[in-house]
């Protein structure tokens, strides 16, 4: 049954996982995302749906448990925050290489290194450009509200299974810790053994007499064959770019200037738009929801319309590179960032827009 | 209607739970709400604050640096947040432990002797509910019935026997705040 609740973003992810028929969560605590594991431990989803929740001995173990579960055709997930996600990169690359559908949540904190526990968006490059070794991509979803934290769990699993590829929810400590109203979806049952065999004919579900054994691996020592594996992966990523681009346009129709921002930064920019429009400055916001695939065409289209774009990020300038590539010189593209766990304020962002483009 | 509120004090004073009850009260009235805590090592002893926004419209940014109301419960928070109250806004504080009282001339200022009242009632833990009572009297955005409903929603059931004490504290708080400076 659908249900309205006031929840933290982290709790919404955990509850959504139970309700969308997730088979298993493996994780290791780290601030600012520990509520995901805590909530699951308190909820005892094993009693509700049969979902397994396990605190692994490390992040490395967590991602390898995900590899194993996904290889058996199960809906499995893990979550962590930046330093923990760095530890998972090897396993994630293996998941991508073996084409395993799974869900990872990164509630980003400020880095580099152990950094801080406050929110940040400094893992954009790691999330969208690979992160681990080899030519691979994750499907990257960037929620900007607690409702989207909830919704993107089901969406992430759907896309992961559609493309046999790991999906990542890239969020940050602010949305993880914040409480908002959330409409929880009705529960769906976990797949039965029969459904798993139907949905994932490639998985290691026990070899029947009428098909060869399924092997889950990312190893192929014959380079000619490994090139074919790569070509297949690239074709899959091209399909994602064609079909799965998601974004939100906010007051773009008459905009003379444009903010481009995702997640928490996009929320801050929405307030900056209200402040700007009260002063007669026509600003809009393009909010990429998928960071891979990136809304390339929409950026190019809007670059032909506005006098300037400001990429607002809680990092030193990462997404701005993708914006510049796709604006193709049609308008100036500037960046404004705060780092190390500091979030910009709405009036600060507006002041930067005025300084960079209007001469305030 | 949008009310942007910061509640700030020591960790352990019930700052975050007061914000949570306020947010739940808003939900009970079908309002849009956001609750954005400072999180981290301030759980006990250090400073803790929470931004609560109650609105009849979709909330844009949960992160703000200008507030309609600041509820201030220690000196560090007074030093940090007095200047962030919007002109014409409201500052509510407990003078207990405050050495430098608010000096702004362009805001409404109220004080509530919440820690004193709480110890008079023999219930120091319900200090935060006295403050909350004062707030909803000064800014009647949420009805007390909805605050009680919010309290029930946000407290785990094992604490539900304490709801009558909390309700008394809220009603007490509604009586004991004192205006220090009112804009005409």
């Amino acid at each position: 049954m659908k249900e309205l609740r006031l929840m933290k973003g982290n709790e919404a992810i955990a509850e959504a996982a139970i309700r969308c028929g997730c088979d298993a969560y493996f994780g290791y605590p780290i601030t600012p995302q520990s509520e995901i594991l805590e909530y699951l431990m308190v909820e005892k989803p094993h009693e509700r749906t049969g979902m397994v929740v396990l605190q692994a001995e490390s992040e490395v173990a967590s991602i390898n448990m995900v590899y194993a579960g996904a290889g058996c055709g199960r809906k499995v997930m893990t979550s962590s925050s930046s330093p923990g996600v760095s530890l998972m990169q090897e396993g994630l690359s293996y998941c991508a290489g073996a084409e395993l559908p799974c869900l990872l949540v990164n509630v980003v904190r400020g880095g580099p290194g152990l950094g801080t526990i406050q929110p940040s968006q400094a893992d954009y490059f790691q999330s969208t450009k690979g992160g681990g070794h080899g030519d691979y991509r994750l499907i990257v979803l960037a929620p900007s509200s607690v409702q989207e934290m909830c919704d993107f769990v089901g969406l992430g699993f759907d896309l992961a299974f559609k493309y046999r590829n790991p999906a990542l929810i890239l969020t940050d400590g602010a949305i993880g810790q914040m409480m908002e109203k959330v409409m929880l979806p009705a529960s769906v049952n976990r797949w039965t053994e029969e459904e798993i065999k139907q949905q994932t004919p490639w998985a290691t579900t026990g070899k029947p007499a009428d098909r060869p054994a399924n092997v889950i691996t990312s190893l192929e020592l014959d380079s000619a064959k490994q090139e074919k594996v790569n070509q297949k992966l690239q074709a899959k990523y091209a399909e994602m770019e064609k079909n799965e681009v998601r974004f939100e346009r906010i007051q773009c129709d008459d905009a003379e200037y444009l903010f481009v921002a995702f997640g928490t930064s996009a929320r801050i920019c929405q307030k900056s738009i209200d402040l700007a429009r009260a002063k007669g400055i026509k600003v809009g916001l393009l909010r990429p929801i998928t960071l891979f695939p990136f809304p390339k065409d929409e950026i190019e289209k809007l670059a032909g319309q506005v006098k300037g774009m400001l990429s607002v990020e809680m990092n030193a300038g990462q997404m701005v590179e993708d914006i510049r590539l796709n604006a193709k010189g049609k308008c100036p593209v500037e960046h404004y960032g705060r780092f190390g766990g500091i979030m910009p304020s709405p009036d600060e962002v507006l002041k930067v827009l005025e300084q960079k483009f209007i001469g305030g | 209607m949008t009310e942007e509120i910061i509640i700030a004090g020591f960790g352990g004073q019930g700052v975050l739970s007061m914000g949570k009850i306020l947010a739940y009260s808003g939900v009970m009235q079908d309002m849009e709400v956001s609750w954005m805590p400072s999180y981290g090592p301030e759980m006990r002893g250090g400073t803790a604050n929470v931004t609560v926004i109650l609105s009849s419209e979709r909330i844009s940014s949960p992160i703000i640096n200008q507030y309609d109301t600041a509820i201030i419960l220690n000196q560090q928070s007074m030093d940090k947040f007095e200047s962030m109250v919007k002109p014409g806004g409201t500052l509510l504080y407990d003078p207990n432990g405050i050495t430098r009282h608010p000096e702004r001339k362009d805001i409404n200022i109220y004080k509530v002797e919440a820690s004193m009242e709480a110890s008079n009632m023999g219930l120091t833990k319900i200090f935060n509910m006295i403050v909350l009572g004062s707030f909803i009297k000064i800014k009647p955005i949420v009805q007390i019935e909805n605050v009680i409903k919010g309290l029930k929603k946000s407290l785990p059931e094992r604490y539900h026997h304490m709801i009558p004490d909390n309700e008394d504290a809220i009603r007490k708080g509604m009586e004991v705040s004192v205006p220090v400076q009112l804009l005409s």
Side-chain angles (χ1 to χ4, degrees), chain A residues 178-212:
Chain A
M178 167 172 80
M179 283 203 291
E180 288 184 319
K181 284 202 287 194
V182 53
M183 182 59 82
L184 296 167
S187 289
V188 297
N189 291 332
R190 289 168 51 238
W191 284 341
T192 61
E193 296 289 331
E194 273 317 302
E195 283 169 323
I196 290 169
K197 282 179 186 160
Q198 279 168 15
Q199 299 285 342
T200 61
W202 46 266
T204 48
T205 47
K207 183 194 162 315
D210 59 353
R211 68 156 167 80

Side-chain angles (χ1 to χ4, degrees), chain A residues 6 8 32 117-119 173-174 177-181 248 264 267-268 270-271 274 343-347, chain B residues 4 20 23-24 27 30-37 39-41 58-65 153:
Chain A
L6 185 66
K8 284 190 171 193
I117 59 174
Q118 305 298 331
Q177 295 294 327
M178 167 172 80
M179 283 203 291
E180 288 184 319
K181 284 202 287 194
E248 184 184 8
T264 296
R267 293 291 293 272
I268 295 167
Q270 285 176 53
K271 181 102 184 173
D274 296 342
M343 293 178 280
S345 66
D347 53 343
Chain B
E4 297 173 327
K20 191 169 164 185
Y24 259 117
V27 173
D30 273 338
M31 299 172 97
E32 296 303 316
V33 301
S34 82
W35 176 93
M36 180 79 229
Y39 64 92
R58 175 178 164 175
I59 293 166
S60 52
S61 176
I63 295 127
I64 46 179
N65 61 348
K153 270 273 191 185

